Amino acid sequence: MRSTVRGTKEYINPAPRIDVNRYKWENPNQEKLALLFSPVDAKVMALMRSVTSIDFRPDNEWLDALLLRYPWVDGVIVADENGTILTRKPPVPLKRFSEPLVFESIWRETLVKTVVDYTPLGPELYFGMPNFEGPEFKGLHVVSFDPRVLFTFCPQPEELIIVDPRTQKFWVVGDTAPTGAQELAALPWGEIMKEKIQGTIMVGDKQFTWLARFIGRDLFVYATQSADPEFEDKGFSLPLFGGNS
């Protein structure tokens, strides 16, 4: 009887065993980039989910709640189908448009094309959601923020570079750009991202690990200098969670 209990105990109430090596990254370059960009990306994704949570014209309560939840957002605009601003919070923005903003969208797309306005006071990134009344387009609600604020969510902001591929500009923390940042931004990212959206790339004598992610409906590039340039890149993959351990 005792031997039977001992034999079946492992099945009924097994002793926990945790393989601490199961979730380690095999690629030190990917691990470094993931640790840098993941907290930033999480903030952007949360904001995008909030912006896309409605497809009708938001009221003041919704706008106030958005700004309360995301205090790093500079403002929100509600415009009609002709582009006339109906509501703007705050009513007097810190940064004025350097030129008219032109948004593009596809019927019933959940986000409009992202616009980055490079003003004398620095960049301002805009993306938003089309508003409908039934099947009829009624305008947009658009949020904006300075993309440099994203570095406040990064554990080592001086190690991260964010590239705006369409303008070949880049964003970094502080006023001093890391070595190679200008050359990295000048690469033909439009062509590069037709083939892949992650990898490593040489800029001069430095190797950078990069990953393209959406902000709004457009891809931007997160990059950092590789932790180990000698490591063979076999593609970007997250550690596997789940299964038996």
Side-chain angles (χ1 to χ4, degrees):
M1 182 67 178
R2 290 177 181 175
S3 62
T4 303
V5 171
R6 283 197 296 268
T8 57
K9 183 179 178 181
E10 286 297 312
Y11 295 99
I12 298 173
N13 187 24
R17 291 186 297 272
I18 301 175
D19 183 357
V20 296
N21 294 317
R22 181 179 178 85
Y23 308 120
K24 285 187 176 180
W25 289 78
E26 295 182 356
N27 188 324
N29 300 325
Q30 294 175 2
E31 181 177 25
K32 179 186 176 184
L33 180 58
L35 292 174
L36 294 175
F37 96 87
S38 294
V40 176
D41 189 62
K43 295 290 186 180
V44 175
M45 293 298 108
L47 177 60
M48 287 170 55
R49 287 192 295 270
S50 294
V51 172
T52 59
S53 64
I54 61 172
D55 64 354
F56 51 86
R57 185 171 293 166
D59 56 22
N60 282 323
E61 289 74 15
W62 188 92
L63 301 177
D64 291 339
L66 182 81
L67 293 174
L68 183 64
R69 182 176 181 184
Y70 304 100
W72 46 274
V73 166
D74 288 338
V76 59
I77 299 170
V78 179
D80 67 14
E81 61 269 31
N82 299 313
T84 302
I85 295 177
L86 304 175
T87 305
R88 184 168 196 170
K89 294 194 175 190
V92 180
L94 177 64
K95 298 175 187 172
R96 297 187 180 275
F97 304 134
S98 64
E99 57 186 29
L101 303 181
V102 179
F103 291 96
E104 299 176 17
S105 186
I106 300 172
W107 174 248
R108 283 297 181 179
E109 278 280 341
T110 57
L111 285 170
V112 296
K113 188 176 181 65
T114 309
V115 176
V116 183
D117 187 22
Y118 289 93
T119 76
L121 296 178
E124 190 75 2
L125 188 151
Y126 297 82
F127 68 83
M129 178 75 177
N131 300 156
F132 297 93
E133 188 175 297
E136 295 185 12
F137 173 68
K138 290 296 181 180
L140 306 169
H141 60 272
V142 178
V143 297
S144 71
F145 59 90
D146 188 322
R148 296 171 298 184
V149 76
L150 298 176
F151 292 97
T152 62
F153 310 123
C154 180
Q156 293 179 287
E158 68 281 354
E159 294 286 339
L160 184 64
I161 301 169
I162 306 177
V163 176
D164 177 359
R166 288 168 298 156
T167 61
Q168 295 188 316
K169 295 181 183 292
F170 63 92
W171 311 318
V172 294
V173 66
D175 299 324
T176 303
T179 303
Q182 188 67 57
E183 294 81 0
L184 185 71
L187 294 173
W189 287 107
E191 294 300 316
I192 294 172
M193 291 189 296
K194 288 180 180 178
E195 300 294 329
K196 55 184 180 179
I197 58 169
Q198 62 79 31
T200 58
I201 197 163
M202 294 298 299
V203 177
D205 61 348
K206 296 184 181 298
Q207 185 192 83
F208 288 85
T209 303
W210 65 276
L211 174 69
R213 294 285 286 173
F214 282 98
I215 301 180
R217 199 161 61 87
D218 294 272
L219 286 168
F220 291 79
V221 175
Y222 293 95
T224 188
Q225 190 171 335
S226 295
D228 182 3
E230 302 300 321
F231 192 90
E232 183 182 357
D233 182 27
K234 297 181 180 180
F236 201 97
S237 59
L238 295 172
L240 176 63
F241 290 87
N244 299 321
S245 59

